[in-house]
Each structure stands twice: as structure tokens, then as C-alpha cells.
Amino acid sequence: METSWFVVVNPRAGGGKSIVDWPKISRILNKYDIRYTHAFTEFKYHAVELTVNAVSKGYRNIIAVGGDGTLNEVINGIFIQKEVSPSEITIGVIGVGTGNDWFRIYDLPHNYEDSIKAIKNNRVFKQDVGLVEFYESGVRHKRYFVNAAGVGFDAEVALRTNRLKDLGKRGALLYIFSLIKALIRYRTTRINVKLGRNHIQDKVFSITIGICRYNGAGMMQVPFALSDDGLFDVTIIKRISKLNVLANIHRLYNGTILKHSRVVGLRGSDIEIMSVPNVNLEVDGESVGETPLKFSILRQAISVIVSDSFVQPEVPQEKVSKHITTIEQ
């Protein structure tokens, strides 16, 4: 039986680029004889609802047309539905968003035709999925994610970036602009991080919890993360001056952040984070809530379409050990 796909299209992705380009994307899908039904999202979290409904109707192959936020909603739909195990569902992505950080780790092309060729070729990779429990307005919630989560300054920058996106702003420099604006007002917070039986309690500027390597529109805050090893890579930036942050922004892009004296690298599967006062959380670039937080990881829990050229990066263990402490759970 020929594979049939359900396509979730976020018309607001890329500042409206998705809806403008949908006729072109549709033509290419038809060109490669990909059978599909599509639906446009109409409000926040609609992609979650559409995905749940699609799976209940028998679809086991989902394409997300949008950015990292659209993919995140589709993932959450897959994991909250009760019809089948999420491991039976395959996800393809046609990137139209401004960040597309998840794309980068799998060498997925931004060209529509090449993205659709990758879907047609159907090379599947099983990656980890994170689950975080958090609080919003005093109520506990949970959210799945496939790329990275940020706590503290990371989340503050994401919040400002998302507000600009809601105003129709777009572009590669959006995140940098938000970072600089957030830096003016942000203050470090006393945070307790628990990994297994280990605790780190200190004044913390920012924490990144990564499954994949890229976040913040191309930054590498967890440069050695492997998306299928069943472990989070955690980068903690302790109290640091604003001038020091500005002087070391290049480290976020070239993968040398863990060499900084105020940065700690950890690796583990279960994480708890508490703070006074509470600090914000973002997952896959979406602002969702605040501390206290509890993270867990589901190893190789979802099948994703990757490019034919993708090879899981190999990093010498001695290099990892020099910068990252792996915590036994």
C-alpha cells in the first residue's frame, strides 16, 4: 500500500511565508507522487489537535510545514494521542520558519524540492524525545520536545523573540536583537540543579538542556549532544557579567562555549531545576512556563526523516570527558 501523509501547515511560519509558498510546496509534493491530505493551523496549539485527529483517522506519517514551533506541536500531538505507540509514527519536516534549528543536525535542506525529495526517499532515524513538567499560573503542565529547552536567560530571549514574531517580525538577526535587549534587564538567579544524586546550587545566568546541538537560530550551546543516546546534554552558565557575555557570543556559534571558565557541562537523563524566584522556560523555542521543572528523556522514541547525507557526528570520548561530566542516574 502506498504511503499516505497528513500535512500540517502553519500559515504564520516564517512571518507568513508558509501560506505564500504553500502552492509551490503542494506542486512539488504532487510532482514526487506523494499522497497527502493537508490542513492549515488556525490558532496556537491547533497543530496538536490536528495531529491527534490525523492519527485517530489512521495516518501514521505526518509532515510539519513550518518552523521548530510547528514541529514541537506535532510532536506533542503524537505523544498525547492514545491510538498507537508514537514509535509507529514517522515525521517529515518542510522548513519555513526563521530558526529551523532542529533541521541543522540532520543536514536537511531548506530548499523545498530537496526537502520533499528527502521525504520521498524516506530515510528514517530514531531520535530521543524529552519530557518536561513545569508550572504555569500555579498549575502543573507537561510538554514534549525534540531539540532543546532553555531556562533563565535562554527563556527570556525566546520570550522576546516570540513577541516580535507575533508582531510579524522575521529575519536571521531577530534572536540576536532579542538577546541584546534581554541582556540589559536580566539578572542572574539562585538555581538548584539536581542530576541524579548530584546537586549544583549557585547563581545561574542560563541553562540549556539539549537533545540536538543547535538552538537560538544556529547557536551551539550543547555542542556535543547526540540525539539518540538517551541522555540530555546540559550547559550551565553561572553568574557572569554582561560585558563577558557580549565578549563571548562567538563561543555560542563556534561550539567552544564549554571552554569558558563560568560554564559547566553535564550529561544525564533525569533533571530537576528549582529556583528562587521562579524563572522562565522555553522548549524548542516556544515560551511555556516556569520553575520548578522536572526533565526526563525517552530514548529513540520517534522516527524522523533525515537527509541521505546525514551521519551522526562522532566526537572523541576524551574530548567529551574534558568538558562534560556524565552523571550516573
Side-chain angles (χ1 to χ4, degrees):
M1 179 179 173
E2 189 177 351
T3 299
S4 184
W5 295 81
F6 186 82
V7 184
V8 178
V9 185
N10 178 2
R12 299 182 66 189
K17 187 171 185 286
S18 188
I19 190 66
V20 172
D21 289 352
W22 171 246
K24 179 179 180 181
I25 294 168
S26 177
R27 284 195 300 271
I28 300 171
L29 287 167
N30 292 329
K31 174 182 174 181
Y32 286 94
D33 297 319
I34 294 176
R35 292 180 58 220
Y36 69 93
T37 300
H38 76 280
F40 295 103
T41 61
E42 297 175 6
F43 46 83
K44 192 172 185 180
Y45 302 134
H46 194 194
V48 178
E49 181 183 321
L50 290 172
T51 301
V52 170
N53 290 339
V55 175
S56 72
K57 291 176 181 177
Y59 287 95
R60 301 293 179 262
N61 303 280
I62 313 288
I63 296 173
V65 178
D68 294 320
T70 310
L71 173 60
N72 180 269
E73 288 195 20
V74 168
I75 287 290
N76 277 271
I78 289 170
F79 276 85
I80 67 172
Q81 58 78 32
K82 305 299 182 185
E83 298 288 329
V84 295
S85 167
S87 63
E88 295 182 32
I89 299 171
T90 299
I91 299 177
V93 180
I94 299 173
V96 189
T98 52
N100 293 332
D101 286 301
W102 179 85
F103 256 59
R104 302 170 197 268
I105 193 72
Y106 294 122
D107 290 334
L108 286 165
H110 290 281
N111 174 281
Y112 295 146
E113 182 147 357
D114 290 338
S115 290
I116 292 167
K117 279 182 185 177
I119 292 168
K120 181 69 174 178
N121 291 339
N122 200 37
R123 184 184 172 201
V124 172
F125 180 84
K126 288 189 175 292
Q127 78 149 79
D128 301 338
V129 174
L131 173 63
V132 58
E133 297 176 22
F134 60 93
Y135 282 80
E136 189 170 15
S137 301
V139 179
R140 187 166 66 94
H141 299 269
K142 66 179 182 179
R143 185 93 168 225
Y144 295 90
F145 64 101
V146 289
N147 190 48
V151 180
F153 184 72
D154 272 12
E156 184 67 24
V157 175
L159 184 63
R160 290 175 178 271
T161 302
N162 291 331
R163 285 173 179 167
L164 291 174
K165 287 180 180 178
D166 288 342
L167 294 172
K169 307 293 183 182
R170 56 182 292 191
L173 296 178
L174 205 60
Y175 192 89
I176 288 291
F177 177 78
S178 299
L179 185 151
I180 293 170
K181 290 282 285 185
L183 191 60
I184 295 170
R185 294 181 176 274
Y186 190 74
R187 298 289 181 270
T188 56
T189 305
R190 182 161 292 281
I191 294 179
N192 181 36
V193 181
K194 180 184 176 185
L195 229 72
R197 289 171 290 183
N198 294 264
H199 288 259
I200 292 179
Q201 187 167 321
D202 208 332
K203 284 205 167 183
V204 169
F205 179 73
S206 179
I207 304 175
T208 303
I209 300 97
I211 295 172
C212 300
R213 296 188 176 194
Y214 297 94
N215 69 322
M219 293 182 177
M220 282 190 286
Q221 297 192 59
V222 282
F224 300 137
L226 297 172
S227 59
D228 65 343
D229 64 353
L231 298 169
F232 291 116
D233 274 33
V234 183
T235 296
I236 301 173
I237 303 177
K238 295 185 177 182
R239 186 174 184 175
I240 187 172
S241 73
K242 294 175 181 179
L243 284 177
N244 202 337
V245 172
L246 291 172
N248 286 278
I249 283 179
H250 66 283
R251 291 186 180 275
L252 298 174
Y253 288 95
N254 65 16
T256 63
I257 184 65
L258 295 174
K259 293 182 178 181
H260 194 284
S261 62
R262 301 299 297 163
V263 175
V264 174
L266 302 171
R267 185 173 274 173
S269 58
D270 295 286
I271 306 161
E272 294 182 41
I273 299 175
M274 293 158 281
S275 68
V276 178
N278 291 341
V279 293
N280 291 333
L281 165 73
E282 61 87 6
V283 292
D284 291 345
E286 298 297 299
S287 307
V288 295
E290 61 184 20
T291 52
L293 312 170
K294 186 176 181 179
F295 292 86
S296 56
I297 196 163
L298 308 171
R299 187 171 189 183
Q300 298 179 17
I302 194 72
S303 298
V304 299
I305 298 292
V306 300
S307 75
D308 288 339
S309 61
F310 168 70
V311 177
Q312 183 72 294
E314 291 186 14
V315 181
Q317 187 56 43
E318 61 271 16
K319 187 173 183 180
V320 173
S321 300
K322 185 176 180 181
H323 299 292
I324 295 177
T325 300
T326 300
I327 305 296
E328 298 295 332
Q329 302 297 145

